[in-house]
Amino acid sequence: MSRVSAAQGNVKRLKALALGLAIAGFGAMASANAAPGPLQEAINHGKHMFIHDTFGGDGATCETCHRAAGMGPTIVHGHRFPSLANAAAIFPRYNPRAHKVITLEDQIRGCIARGLKGKPPAPGSMAMSSMVAYLTSLSQGKPIDMGGKPK
């Protein structure tokens, strides 16, 4: 067997292996993103709240500032709002304004209270768990970067 044909055989085997790994990875990713039952229901409820709920505030929703259901950075009235695609991966983090380490739940409560001028869901409530589940679903597969910056 010549070096060329041996190399071609190796390339074919590597392509087949890569395709197999890609298919296996896609299956794992698809099953992780399609969380069954109560978890998916919480994610769906959190997304619905994110897009539609004003939390009794001034009429704005989370999506007013974090467009595309939180997936895209936006500029609203000259102020830049980050994508929330890695939100769950960067908490807990230090908040210099609060002078303390905060959790994702703390951040959600603060955004609703200050940004939307609304009443945040109670800590540990089903509504808060749904918001956390939704934002965490956006971070699926992102590397943990506690204290990192939103992307």
Side-chain angles (χ1 to χ4, degrees):
M1 178 183 289
S2 74
R3 284 186 179 170
V4 172
S5 63
Q8 288 172 336
N10 287 340
V11 168
K12 285 181 183 177
R13 282 190 291 280
L14 286 173
K15 283 183 180 178
L17 177 61
L19 179 61
L21 290 173
I23 290 169
F26 178 76
M29 183 178 67
S31 65
N33 288 338
L39 179 56
Q40 188 61 50
E41 289 172 16
I43 291 167
N44 293 345
H45 183 239
K47 182 177 184 177
H48 184 270
M49 290 182 354
F50 187 92
I51 294 169
H52 301 288
D53 203 330
T54 64
F55 301 94
D58 63 4
T61 68
C62 298
E63 192 174 52
T64 300
C65 298
H66 301 283
R67 303 270 166 84
M71 292 301 291
T74 55
I75 297 176
V76 178
H77 303 297
H79 190 272
R80 183 186 179 281
F81 293 91
S83 163
L84 300 177
N86 71 331
I90 63 173
F91 283 92
R93 64 189 297 220
Y94 179 74
N95 181 317
R97 192 179 331 156
H99 304 291
K100 65 179 184 176
V101 173
I102 63 169
T103 64
L104 178 58
E105 189 171 304
D106 295 329
Q107 182 68 36
I108 292 167
R109 291 180 55 75
C111 282
I112 292 171
R114 287 185 303 278
L116 304 182
K117 297 176 180 54
K119 184 175 188 250
S125 67
M126 183 203 282
M128 180 56 77
S129 294
S130 294
M131 290 291 289
V132 170
Y134 173 62
L135 291 174
T136 300
S137 76
L138 299 181
S139 297
Q140 182 76 16
K142 303 285 190 293
I144 298 296
D145 185 21
M146 285 195 310
K149 299 278 186 200
K151 298 204 175 175

